[in-house]
Amino acid sequence: MATWHEKAAALKPDGRAFIGGERVWAKSEQQFENLSPIDGRKLGMVARCDSVDVDIAVAAARAAFEDGRWSGKSPAQRKRVLIKFADLMQNYGQELALLETLDMGKPIKYSQAVDVGGAANCIRWYGEAIDKIYDEIAPTPANSLALITREPVGVVAAIVPWNYPMLMASWKIAPALAAGNSVVLKPSEKSPLTALRLAEIALEAGVPPGVFNVLPGYGAEAGAALALHMDVDCIGFTGSTRVGKQIMQMAGQSNLKRAWTELGGKSANIVCADCPDLDAAVEAAIGSIFFNQGESCNAPSRLFVEASIKDRFIEKALAKVPDYAPGDPLDSNTVMGAIVDATQLKTVMGYIESGHVDGARLLAGGKQVRTETGGYYVEPTVFDQVNSSMTIAREEIFGPVLSVLSFTDVQDAVRQANDTPYGLHAAVWTADLSKAIQTSRALRAGTVHVNQYDGDDITVPFGGYKQSGNGRDKSLHAFDKYTELKTTWIQVG
Ligand code: NAD
């Protein structure tokens, strides 16, 4: 059987856009190079789409929406196509996983299990859900009937980041397509390959041409053109808080399209002295910050440990850190891969430097490694003696860097945990049920974990308080983003 390296050598990724059911280059014929963070190898050229291509793709999406080739299909018909789409994704699973790993550097075993598995599950789940949702009749007086129905919003633009390219795309396109919308997806310029392949697979499954379009390109070009477009009805954005703010402004500046944002995080993980299982807490603290090279929006990057158990906790944690040494992402045993590109590597190394300058104490890692590969790898890094005013405790690093802070009582922990502009995830570890509930209520975050950090399921909403965004991905609540509520009054008698 061919190794992952042999399969990678044989792969010829297609970087053309996907508009109206066809692979096309940008009208300008501009392209950009796609380099793999694993070893710096050139994977190919990608279409550099701009506002001209956005106009064409939005027109294709609009035409498809208006003529009802998808929006007019019954929920049961859309369900059948989406389930086939999910099945095909799994049939092409090895190819999709390989593209994801080559494009953004994550270990192949996670590309297969988490990214392909999670994305296919997401498409299937929304497909299965759509013919089981009923509309409402309001309790109005007997001489009238008021129907409250949900309708697709129309043309949805989805703009997604590079950390889970296929998964983040699926969280948008699955509910949007299931509800009957047409979609124009812009993947990150750092990881466009799986999104482009998904569009082909959707077509093969029976999603009609024009209903699902993918435009690779830069944020300031293709992304901004979508956010400013007068004929896009809704934008689903996942990315940084900085760009999320621009998206909201562009929506307001143009046609007031509905703008939904899933943004950055600086999640707090609070371990109290009465933690019921210290080993599980250590495993979760270390495993969750170093998973996906620390490039996860909900990574618990601030670890608060109660002062009385801190030394013991740190000793146990440091014993686990070597398990996350970066390795070859195409080796099935590797658990930590490459940082997505040279720019992100520089950002992460800059934060490590700022930790030193601010006086935090480096306990593990801190260096770039595997430079001989030509790729971008950073050791799993732990800083102790961090305080809430340091840059590494305030800003999202989006790399394998853990900041350890301490607290004296749980009120102090909550105050420090909430002292951030973000509000994505948080966790508390305690054996005291009342303390767990009071702390979960006091933490200003979209998701709070109690005595675990890995709770994750398509059935639950995902999103943030404060500057971590608005609206929710996943679960049936995601339909709120991609549908309009219509009230229809009918005179009776
Ligand atoms: P980013 O904001 O730089 O880019 C995200 C997307 O926006 C990319 O496709 C990019 O091309 C596009 N973009 C950039 N500038 C734009 C502009 N002016 N107009 C329109 N589009 C523009 O973020 P990133 O570096 O790709 O991703 C990392 C960020 O994503 C982190 O902050 C992370 O926390 C966040 N994230 C959040 C979630 C969540 O669910 N809350 C999930 C994953 C990632």
Side-chain angles (χ1 to χ4, degrees):
M1 212 172 73
T3 64
W4 285 111
H5 278 280
E6 286 161 352
K7 287 178 195 161
L11 203 65
K12 296 273 170 288
D14 186 343
R16 289 175 299 166
F18 192 89
I19 304 176
E22 285 176 11
R23 286 286 205 160
V24 290
W25 287 110
K27 279 284 172 210
S28 66
E29 296 182 6
Q30 293 280 314
Q31 303 174 5
F32 62 90
E33 265 189 343
N34 184 11
L35 306 176
S36 175
I38 291 178
D39 50 11
R41 175 165 81 90
K42 180 171 156 184
L43 297 172
M45 298 305 291
V46 175
R48 180 175 165 177
C49 296
D50 61 21
S51 60
V52 174
D53 309 291
V54 165
D55 284 345
I56 297 168
V58 171
R62 174 62 61 193
F65 184 73
E66 296 298 335
D67 72 18
R69 71 188 81 160
W70 180 252
S71 54
K73 282 204 179 346
S74 70
Q77 287 170 317
R78 292 200 296 270
K79 171 182 79 173
R80 279 194 286 279
V81 173
L82 290 176
I83 290 175
K84 182 155 180 217
F85 182 10
D87 289 343
L88 287 176
M89 281 172 72
Q90 278 177 315
N91 291 352
Y92 293 116
Q94 287 209 352
E95 179 198 349
L96 288 168
L98 197 51
L99 286 172
E100 202 82 311
T101 288
L102 292 172
D103 220 3
M104 73 70 69
K106 68 174 72 196
I108 190 74
K109 77 166 170 186
Y110 297 137
S111 292
Q112 285 184 287
V114 176
D115 296 78
V116 176
N121 182 50
C122 174
I123 304 275
R124 178 174 293 111
W125 193 83
Y126 283 101
E128 285 172 346
I130 196 63
D131 69 344
K132 295 163 190 73
I133 299 170
Y134 290 71
D135 288 323
E136 301 164 39
I137 297 175
T140 53
N143 65 349
S144 62
L145 190 64
L147 311 180
I148 304 169
T149 51
R150 281 190 183 273
E151 297 186 347
V153 64
V155 174
V156 172
I159 300 183
V160 294
W162 47 262
N163 61 333
Y164 295 93
M166 216 176 344
L167 204 53
M168 295 303 102
S170 303
W171 288 6
K172 314 269 183 235
I173 64 174
L177 288 176
N181 297 285
S182 295
V183 175
V184 181
L185 167 67
K186 194 204 86 63
S188 169
E189 56 276 27
K190 299 182 185 192
S191 60
L193 297 179
T194 44
L196 291 166
R197 193 65 188 100
L198 282 191
E200 286 179 329
I201 296 172
L203 185 75
E204 187 181 336
V207 175
V211 171
F212 177 27
N213 308 277
V214 181
L215 292 184
Y218 291 115
E221 298 172 359
L226 277 171
L228 285 167
H229 206 284
M230 294 301 288
D231 204 27
V232 167
D233 299 295
C234 165
I235 189 155
F237 174 81
T238 299
S240 62
T241 295
R242 182 183 65 79
V243 177
K245 290 181 182 183
Q246 295 173 15
I247 297 285
M248 304 289 278
Q249 283 172 345
M250 288 188 272
Q253 205 179 315
S254 52
N255 60 344
L256 216 57
K257 56 181 69 63
R258 283 90 187 90
W260 303 106
T261 57
E262 298 287 342
L263 309 176
K266 192 74 191 173
S267 299
N269 185 13
I270 300 172
V271 185
C272 299
D274 64 354
C275 168
D277 185 342
L278 215 53
D279 290 326
V282 166
E283 189 74 52
I286 294 298
S288 305
I289 180 64
F290 297 138
F291 185 69
N292 212 44
Q293 302 70 245
E295 297 163 332
S296 298
C297 53
N298 60 341
S301 50
R302 291 182 300 151
L303 171 64
F304 293 91
V305 187
E306 193 157 349
S308 60
I309 59 162
K310 188 158 160 252
D311 290 348
R312 194 148 57 98
F313 193 94
I314 285 181
E315 191 187 325
K316 283 173 179 281
L318 290 181
K320 295 268 173 214
V321 172
D323 297 350
Y324 294 87
D328 175 5
L330 289 175
D331 178 335
S332 299
N333 295 316
T334 295
V335 294
M336 175 124 101
I339 299 292
V340 72
D341 68 358
T343 309
Q344 186 62 15
L345 174 81
K346 196 164 161 234
T347 302
V348 173
M349 295 312 292
Y351 279 115
I352 291 174
E353 180 55 27
S354 104
H356 288 298
V357 171
D358 285 349
R361 184 166 147 239
L362 183 73
L363 294 184
K367 292 195 297 295
Q368 186 187 349
V369 287
R370 293 174 54 82
T371 47
E372 71 288 353
T373 60
Y376 314 114
Y377 300 84
V378 176
E379 288 177 322
T381 298
V382 180
F383 277 108
D384 187 20
Q385 294 174 11
V386 178
N387 66 54
S388 288
S389 62
M390 291 182 188
T391 304
I392 55 170
R394 300 210 67 77
E395 295 184 13
E396 183 181 43
I397 298 175
F398 227 52
V401 182
L402 177 64
S403 295
V404 185
L405 300 91
S406 102
F407 63 94
T408 46
D409 59 48
V410 77
Q411 287 78 14
D412 175 34
V414 168
R415 190 187 47 74
Q416 293 191 64
N418 284 341
D419 180 16
T420 167
Y422 297 110
L424 198 53
H425 279 216
V428 58
W429 298 75
T430 174
D432 179 335
L433 185 59
S434 294
K435 198 202 282 184
I437 294 170
Q438 284 163 356
T439 307
S440 328
R441 286 180 181 161
L443 287 165
R444 304 279 299 152
T447 299
V448 179
H449 304 265
V450 177
N451 296 335
Q452 55 118 301
Y453 204 86
D454 56 357
D456 175 36
D457 201 78
I458 191 67
T459 55
V460 298
F462 189 104
Y465 281 27
K466 302 196 274 183
Q467 294 187 35
S468 287
N470 66 330
R472 294 292 181 268
D473 277 340
K474 300 169 67 183
S475 81
L476 295 182
H477 294 281
F479 283 123
D480 294 344
K481 294 178 166 184
Y482 306 115
T483 54
E484 292 283 12
L485 275 185
K486 177 174 280 180
T487 301
T488 309
W489 282 101
I490 302 168
Q491 187 62 34
V492 179

PDB file of all heavy atoms in Angstrom, residues 180-210:
ATOM      1  N   GLY A 180     -32.002  25.750   1.886  1.00  0.00           N
ATOM      2  CA  GLY A 180     -32.410  26.098   0.518  1.00  0.00           C
ATOM      3  C   GLY A 180     -31.719  27.313  -0.068  1.00  0.00           C
ATOM      4  O   GLY A 180     -32.094  27.794  -1.141  1.00  0.00           O
ATOM      5  N   ASN A 181     -30.696  27.825   0.629  1.00  0.00           N
ATOM      6  CA  ASN A 181     -29.961  28.981   0.091  1.00  0.00           C
ATOM      7  C   ASN A 181     -28.997  28.567  -1.016  1.00  0.00           C
ATOM      8  O   ASN A 181     -28.655  27.395  -1.164  1.00  0.00           O
ATOM      9  CB  ASN A 181     -29.115  29.612   1.212  1.00  0.00           C
ATOM     10  CG  ASN A 181     -29.961  30.158   2.327  1.00  0.00           C
ATOM     11  OD1 ASN A 181     -30.574  31.204   2.178  1.00  0.00           O
ATOM     12  ND2 ASN A 181     -30.023  29.431   3.446  1.00  0.00           N
ATOM     13  N   SER A 182     -28.497  29.581  -1.753  1.00  0.00           N
ATOM     14  CA  SER A 182     -27.322  29.406  -2.608  1.00  0.00           C
ATOM     15  C   SER A 182     -26.133  29.992  -1.854  1.00  0.00           C
ATOM     16  O   SER A 182     -26.303  30.936  -1.074  1.00  0.00           O
ATOM     17  CB  SER A 182     -27.484  30.166  -3.923  1.00  0.00           C
ATOM     18  OG  SER A 182     -28.546  29.623  -4.666  1.00  0.00           O
ATOM     19  N   VAL A 183     -24.943  29.440  -2.090  1.00  0.00           N
ATOM     20  CA  VAL A 183     -23.779  29.811  -1.281  1.00  0.00           C
ATOM     21  C   VAL A 183     -22.591  30.191  -2.161  1.00  0.00           C
ATOM     22  O   VAL A 183     -22.346  29.561  -3.196  1.00  0.00           O
ATOM     23  CB  VAL A 183     -23.372  28.614  -0.372  1.00  0.00           C
ATOM     24  CG1 VAL A 183     -22.095  28.915   0.399  1.00  0.00           C
ATOM     25  CG2 VAL A 183     -24.492  28.267   0.605  1.00  0.00           C
ATOM     26  N   VAL A 184     -21.881  31.235  -1.740  1.00  0.00           N
ATOM     27  CA  VAL A 184     -20.556  31.534  -2.301  1.00  0.00           C
ATOM     28  C   VAL A 184     -19.575  31.459  -1.142  1.00  0.00           C
ATOM     29  O   VAL A 184     -19.674  32.242  -0.187  1.00  0.00           O
ATOM     30  CB  VAL A 184     -20.502  32.937  -2.949  1.00  0.00           C
ATOM     31  CG1 VAL A 184     -19.107  33.180  -3.539  1.00  0.00           C
ATOM     32  CG2 VAL A 184     -21.567  33.089  -4.022  1.00  0.00           C
ATOM     33  N   LEU A 185     -18.661  30.514  -1.211  1.00  0.00           N
ATOM     34  CA  LEU A 185     -17.709  30.280  -0.117  1.00  0.00           C
ATOM     35  C   LEU A 185     -16.339  30.822  -0.495  1.00  0.00           C
ATOM     36  O   LEU A 185     -15.832  30.527  -1.579  1.00  0.00           O
ATOM     37  CB  LEU A 185     -17.617  28.770   0.141  1.00  0.00           C
ATOM     38  CG  LEU A 185     -16.477  28.258   1.028  1.00  0.00           C
ATOM     39  CD1 LEU A 185     -16.642  28.713   2.479  1.00  0.00           C
ATOM     40  CD2 LEU A 185     -16.411  26.719   0.976  1.00  0.00           C
ATOM     41  N   LYS A 186     -15.750  31.618   0.410  1.00  0.00           N
ATOM     42  CA  LYS A 186     -14.354  32.030   0.202  1.00  0.00           C
ATOM     43  C   LYS A 186     -13.476  31.399   1.283  1.00  0.00           C
ATOM     44  O   LYS A 186     -13.529  31.783   2.444  1.00  0.00           O
ATOM     45  CB  LYS A 186     -14.179  33.550   0.253  1.00  0.00           C
ATOM     46  CG  LYS A 186     -12.799  33.927  -0.313  1.00  0.00           C
ATOM     47  CD  LYS A 186     -12.239  35.233   0.159  1.00  0.00           C
ATOM     48  CE  LYS A 186     -11.484  35.177   1.431  1.00  0.00           C
ATOM     49  NZ  LYS A 186     -10.264  34.346   1.441  1.00  0.00           N
ATOM     50  N   PRO A 187     -12.661  30.409   0.886  1.00  0.00           N
ATOM     51  CA  PRO A 187     -11.752  29.813   1.871  1.00  0.00           C
ATOM     52  C   PRO A 187     -10.563  30.750   2.117  1.00  0.00           C
ATOM     53  O   PRO A 187     -10.349  31.701   1.364  1.00  0.00           O
ATOM     54  CB  PRO A 187     -11.280  28.529   1.176  1.00  0.00           C
ATOM     55  CG  PRO A 187     -11.414  28.805  -0.292  1.00  0.00           C
ATOM     56  CD  PRO A 187     -12.537  29.807  -0.442  1.00  0.00           C
ATOM     57  N   SER A 188      -9.805  30.471   3.154  1.00  0.00           N
ATOM     58  CA  SER A 188      -8.602  31.263   3.408  1.00  0.00           C
ATOM     59  C   SER A 188      -7.599  31.055   2.280  1.00  0.00           C
ATOM     60  O   SER A 188      -7.461  29.949   1.744  1.00  0.00           O
ATOM     61  CB  SER A 188      -7.967  30.830   4.727  1.00  0.00           C
ATOM     62  OG  SER A 188      -6.694  31.396   4.850  1.00  0.00           O
ATOM     63  N   GLU A 189      -6.877  32.101   1.949  1.00  0.00           N
ATOM     64  CA  GLU A 189      -5.817  31.994   0.933  1.00  0.00           C
ATOM     65  C   GLU A 189      -4.716  31.030   1.378  1.00  0.00           C
ATOM     66  O   GLU A 189      -3.943  30.540   0.573  1.00  0.00           O
ATOM     67  CB  GLU A 189      -5.224  33.375   0.625  1.00  0.00           C
ATOM     68  CG  GLU A 189      -4.678  34.151   1.812  1.00  0.00           C
ATOM     69  CD  GLU A 189      -5.743  34.943   2.585  1.00  0.00           C
ATOM     70  OE1 GLU A 189      -6.927  34.547   2.573  1.00  0.00           O
ATOM     71  OE2 GLU A 189      -5.369  35.960   3.187  1.00  0.00           O
ATOM     72  N   LYS A 190      -4.687  30.717   2.697  1.00  0.00           N
ATOM     73  CA  LYS A 190      -3.649  29.813   3.211  1.00  0.00           C
ATOM     74  C   LYS A 190      -4.047  28.348   3.079  1.00  0.00           C
ATOM     75  O   LYS A 190      -3.216  27.471   3.281  1.00  0.00           O
ATOM     76  CB  LYS A 190      -3.385  30.117   4.692  1.00  0.00           C
ATOM     77  CG  LYS A 190      -2.896  31.538   4.916  1.00  0.00           C
ATOM     78  CD  LYS A 190      -2.581  31.819   6.366  1.00  0.00           C
ATOM     79  CE  LYS A 190      -2.225  33.305   6.500  1.00  0.00           C
ATOM     80  NZ  LYS A 190      -1.633  33.644   7.763  1.00  0.00           N
ATOM     81  N   SER A 191      -5.308  28.076   2.800  1.00  0.00           N
ATOM     82  CA  SER A 191      -5.761  26.671   2.786  1.00  0.00           C
ATOM     83  C   SER A 191      -6.996  26.500   1.901  1.00  0.00           C
ATOM     84  O   SER A 191      -8.046  26.096   2.389  1.00  0.00           O
ATOM     85  CB  SER A 191      -6.114  26.240   4.214  1.00  0.00           C
ATOM     86  OG  SER A 191      -7.148  27.079   4.694  1.00  0.00           O
ATOM     87  N   PRO A 192      -6.872  26.784   0.599  1.00  0.00           N
ATOM     88  CA  PRO A 192      -8.077  26.779  -0.241  1.00  0.00           C
ATOM     89  C   PRO A 192      -8.480  25.414  -0.817  1.00  0.00           C
ATOM     90  O   PRO A 192      -9.564  25.283  -1.380  1.00  0.00           O
ATOM     91  CB  PRO A 192      -7.671  27.703  -1.401  1.00  0.00           C
ATOM     92  CG  PRO A 192      -6.182  27.515  -1.510  1.00  0.00           C
ATOM     93  CD  PRO A 192      -5.672  27.250  -0.117  1.00  0.00           C
ATOM     94  N   LEU A 193      -7.608  24.383  -0.675  1.00  0.00           N
ATOM     95  CA  LEU A 193      -7.774  23.201  -1.531  1.00  0.00           C
ATOM     96  C   LEU A 193      -8.986  22.332  -1.219  1.00  0.00           C
ATOM     97  O   LEU A 193      -9.679  21.872  -2.129  1.00  0.00           O
ATOM     98  CB  LEU A 193      -6.498  22.348  -1.497  1.00  0.00           C
ATOM     99  CG  LEU A 193      -5.256  23.073  -2.061  1.00  0.00           C
ATOM    100  CD1 LEU A 193      -4.028  22.168  -1.967  1.00  0.00           C
ATOM    101  CD2 LEU A 193      -5.488  23.517  -3.508  1.00  0.00           C
ATOM    102  N   THR A 194      -9.252  22.084   0.069  1.00  0.00           N
ATOM    103  CA  THR A 194     -10.386  21.183   0.351  1.00  0.00           C
ATOM    104  C   THR A 194     -11.725  21.833   0.009  1.00  0.00           C
ATOM    105  O   THR A 194     -12.646  21.154  -0.439  1.00  0.00           O
ATOM    106  CB  THR A 194     -10.392  20.703   1.821  1.00  0.00           C
ATOM    107  OG1 THR A 194     -10.128  21.813   2.676  1.00  0.00           O
ATOM    108  CG2 THR A 194      -9.355  19.621   2.050  1.00  0.00           C
ATOM    109  N   ALA A 195     -11.840  23.149   0.203  1.00  0.00           N
ATOM    110  CA  ALA A 195     -13.113  23.811  -0.122  1.00  0.00           C
ATOM    111  C   ALA A 195     -13.417  23.650  -1.612  1.00  0.00           C
ATOM    112  O   ALA A 195     -14.571  23.392  -2.005  1.00  0.00           O
ATOM    113  CB  ALA A 195     -13.041  25.287   0.250  1.00  0.00           C
ATOM    114  N   LEU A 196     -12.388  23.799  -2.437  1.00  0.00           N
ATOM    115  CA  LEU A 196     -12.588  23.672  -3.885  1.00  0.00           C
ATOM    116  C   LEU A 196     -13.020  22.249  -4.246  1.00  0.00           C
ATOM    117  O   LEU A 196     -13.904  22.044  -5.082  1.00  0.00           O
ATOM    118  CB  LEU A 196     -11.292  24.047  -4.622  1.00  0.00           C
ATOM    119  CG  LEU A 196     -10.950  25.540  -4.531  1.00  0.00           C
ATOM    120  CD1 LEU A 196      -9.515  25.805  -4.964  1.00  0.00           C
ATOM    121  CD2 LEU A 196     -11.921  26.350  -5.396  1.00  0.00           C
ATOM    122  N   ARG A 197     -12.414  21.301  -3.597  1.00  0.00           N
ATOM    123  CA  ARG A 197     -12.759  19.893  -3.873  1.00  0.00           C
ATOM    124  C   ARG A 197     -14.189  19.594  -3.371  1.00  0.00           C
ATOM    125  O   ARG A 197     -14.932  18.851  -4.019  1.00  0.00           O
ATOM    126  CB  ARG A 197     -11.715  19.015  -3.180  1.00  0.00           C
ATOM    127  CG  ARG A 197     -11.707  17.595  -3.583  1.00  0.00           C
ATOM    128  CD  ARG A 197     -11.328  17.321  -5.016  1.00  0.00           C
ATOM    129  NE  ARG A 197     -11.554  15.903  -5.268  1.00  0.00           N
ATOM    130  CZ  ARG A 197     -12.619  15.391  -5.884  1.00  0.00           C
ATOM    131  NH1 ARG A 197     -13.535  16.185  -6.415  1.00  0.00           N
ATOM    132  NH2 ARG A 197     -12.760  14.085  -6.029  1.00  0.00           N
ATOM    133  N   LEU A 198     -14.573  20.211  -2.252  1.00  0.00           N
ATOM    134  CA  LEU A 198     -15.930  19.995  -1.730  1.00  0.00           C
ATOM    135  C   LEU A 198     -16.986  20.419  -2.746  1.00  0.00           C
ATOM    136  O   LEU A 198     -18.030  19.775  -2.878  1.00  0.00           O
ATOM    137  CB  LEU A 198     -16.167  20.797  -0.444  1.00  0.00           C
ATOM    138  CG  LEU A 198     -15.587  20.270   0.861  1.00  0.00           C
ATOM    139  CD1 LEU A 198     -16.167  21.071   2.037  1.00  0.00           C
ATOM    140  CD2 LEU A 198     -15.878  18.790   1.059  1.00  0.00           C
ATOM    141  N   ALA A 199     -16.714  21.520  -3.451  1.00  0.00           N
ATOM    142  CA  ALA A 199     -17.705  22.007  -4.428  1.00  0.00           C
ATOM    143  C   ALA A 199     -17.904  20.976  -5.535  1.00  0.00           C
ATOM    144  O   ALA A 199     -19.036  20.730  -5.977  1.00  0.00           O
ATOM    145  CB  ALA A 199     -17.244  23.342  -4.998  1.00  0.00           C
ATOM    146  N   GLU A 200     -16.805  20.347  -5.971  1.00  0.00           N
ATOM    147  CA  GLU A 200     -16.938  19.307  -7.012  1.00  0.00           C
ATOM    148  C   GLU A 200     -17.732  18.110  -6.489  1.00  0.00           C
ATOM    149  O   GLU A 200     -18.558  17.530  -7.191  1.00  0.00           O
ATOM    150  CB  GLU A 200     -15.547  18.815  -7.432  1.00  0.00           C
ATOM    151  CG  GLU A 200     -14.797  19.800  -8.288  1.00  0.00           C
ATOM    152  CD  GLU A 200     -13.407  19.267  -8.657  1.00  0.00           C
ATOM    153  OE1 GLU A 200     -12.801  18.509  -7.882  1.00  0.00           O
ATOM    154  OE2 GLU A 200     -12.925  19.645  -9.728  1.00  0.00           O
ATOM    155  N   ILE A 201     -17.455  17.764  -5.233  1.00  0.00           N
ATOM    156  CA  ILE A 201     -18.127  16.597  -4.647  1.00  0.00           C
ATOM    157  C   ILE A 201     -19.626  16.889  -4.474  1.00  0.00           C
ATOM    158  O   ILE A 201     -20.475  16.025  -4.714  1.00  0.00           O
ATOM    159  CB  ILE A 201     -17.453  16.207  -3.311  1.00  0.00           C
ATOM    160  CG1 ILE A 201     -16.004  15.777  -3.579  1.00  0.00           C
ATOM    161  CG2 ILE A 201     -18.214  15.110  -2.596  1.00  0.00           C
ATOM    162  CD1 ILE A 201     -15.163  15.549  -2.330  1.00  0.00           C
ATOM    163  N   ALA A 202     -19.939  18.126  -4.085  1.00  0.00           N
ATOM    164  CA  ALA A 202     -21.357  18.506  -3.930  1.00  0.00           C
ATOM    165  C   ALA A 202     -22.083  18.382  -5.273  1.00  0.00           C
ATOM    166  O   ALA A 202     -23.209  17.877  -5.341  1.00  0.00           O
ATOM    167  CB  ALA A 202     -21.463  19.932  -3.392  1.00  0.00           C
ATOM    168  N   LEU A 203     -21.424  18.832  -6.340  1.00  0.00           N
ATOM    169  CA  LEU A 203     -22.022  18.739  -7.682  1.00  0.00           C
ATOM    170  C   LEU A 203     -22.275  17.269  -8.031  1.00  0.00           C
ATOM    171  O   LEU A 203     -23.346  16.902  -8.518  1.00  0.00           O
ATOM    172  CB  LEU A 203     -21.100  19.394  -8.714  1.00  0.00           C
ATOM    173  CG  LEU A 203     -21.640  19.471 -10.135  1.00  0.00           C
ATOM    174  CD1 LEU A 203     -22.700  20.566 -10.237  1.00  0.00           C
ATOM    175  CD2 LEU A 203     -20.518  19.773 -11.139  1.00  0.00           C
ATOM    176  N   GLU A 204     -21.271  16.446  -7.759  1.00  0.00           N
ATOM    177  CA  GLU A 204     -21.409  15.009  -8.047  1.00  0.00           C
ATOM    178  C   GLU A 204     -22.585  14.404  -7.267  1.00  0.00           C
ATOM    179  O   GLU A 204     -23.282  13.524  -7.760  1.00  0.00           O
ATOM    180  CB  GLU A 204     -20.096  14.290  -7.677  1.00  0.00           C
ATOM    181  CG  GLU A 204     -20.063  12.832  -8.084  1.00  0.00           C
ATOM    182  CD  GLU A 204     -18.761  12.139  -7.683  1.00  0.00           C
ATOM    183  OE1 GLU A 204     -17.722  12.818  -7.502  1.00  0.00           O
ATOM    184  OE2 GLU A 204     -18.799  10.891  -7.557  1.00  0.00           O
ATOM    185  N   ALA A 205     -22.815  14.925  -6.056  1.00  0.00           N
ATOM    186  CA  ALA A 205     -23.910  14.399  -5.229  1.00  0.00           C
ATOM    187  C   ALA A 205     -25.280  14.874  -5.705  1.00  0.00           C
ATOM    188  O   ALA A 205     -26.295  14.331  -5.276  1.00  0.00           O
ATOM    189  CB  ALA A 205     -23.702  14.827  -3.776  1.00  0.00           C
ATOM    190  N   GLY A 206     -25.299  15.910  -6.545  1.00  0.00           N
ATOM    191  CA  GLY A 206     -26.597  16.385  -7.039  1.00  0.00           C
ATOM    192  C   GLY A 206     -26.953  17.804  -6.633  1.00  0.00           C
ATOM    193  O   GLY A 206     -28.072  18.250  -6.892  1.00  0.00           O
ATOM    194  N   VAL A 207     -26.028  18.528  -5.984  1.00  0.00           N
ATOM    195  CA  VAL A 207     -26.288  19.953  -5.717  1.00  0.00           C
ATOM    196  C   VAL A 207     -26.180  20.651  -7.080  1.00  0.00           C
ATOM    197  O   VAL A 207     -25.133  20.596  -7.729  1.00  0.00           O
ATOM    198  CB  VAL A 207     -25.266  20.539  -4.716  1.00  0.00           C
ATOM    199  CG1 VAL A 207     -25.471  22.047  -4.547  1.00  0.00           C
ATOM    200  CG2 VAL A 207     -25.377  19.831  -3.357  1.00  0.00           C
ATOM    201  N   PRO A 208     -27.240  21.316  -7.555  1.00  0.00           N
ATOM    202  CA  PRO A 208     -27.221  21.841  -8.930  1.00  0.00           C
ATOM    203  C   PRO A 208     -26.169  22.932  -9.135  1.00  0.00           C
ATOM    204  O   PRO A 208     -25.812  23.643  -8.183  1.00  0.00           O
ATOM    205  CB  PRO A 208     -28.629  22.433  -9.098  1.00  0.00           C
ATOM    206  CG  PRO A 208     -29.455  21.847  -8.011  1.00  0.00           C
ATOM    207  CD  PRO A 208     -28.531  21.553  -6.878  1.00  0.00           C
ATOM    208  N   PRO A 209     -25.669  23.091 -10.370  1.00  0.00           N
ATOM    209  CA  PRO A 209     -24.680  24.130 -10.672  1.00  0.00           C
ATOM    210  C   PRO A 209     -25.183  25.495 -10.231  1.00  0.00           C
ATOM    211  O   PRO A 209     -26.379  25.797 -10.356  1.00  0.00           O
ATOM    212  CB  PRO A 209     -24.555  24.081 -12.196  1.00  0.00           C
ATOM    213  CG  PRO A 209     -25.066  22.745 -12.597  1.00  0.00           C
ATOM    214  CD  PRO A 209     -26.053  22.318 -11.565  1.00  0.00           C
ATOM    215  N   GLY A 210     -24.294  26.315  -9.708  1.00  0.00           N
ATOM    216  CA  GLY A 210     -24.646  27.677  -9.288  1.00  0.00           C
ATOM    217  C   GLY A 210     -25.088  27.769  -7.840  1.00  0.00           C
ATOM    218  O   GLY A 210     -25.096  28.849  -7.257  1.00  0.00           O
TER     219      GLY A 210
END
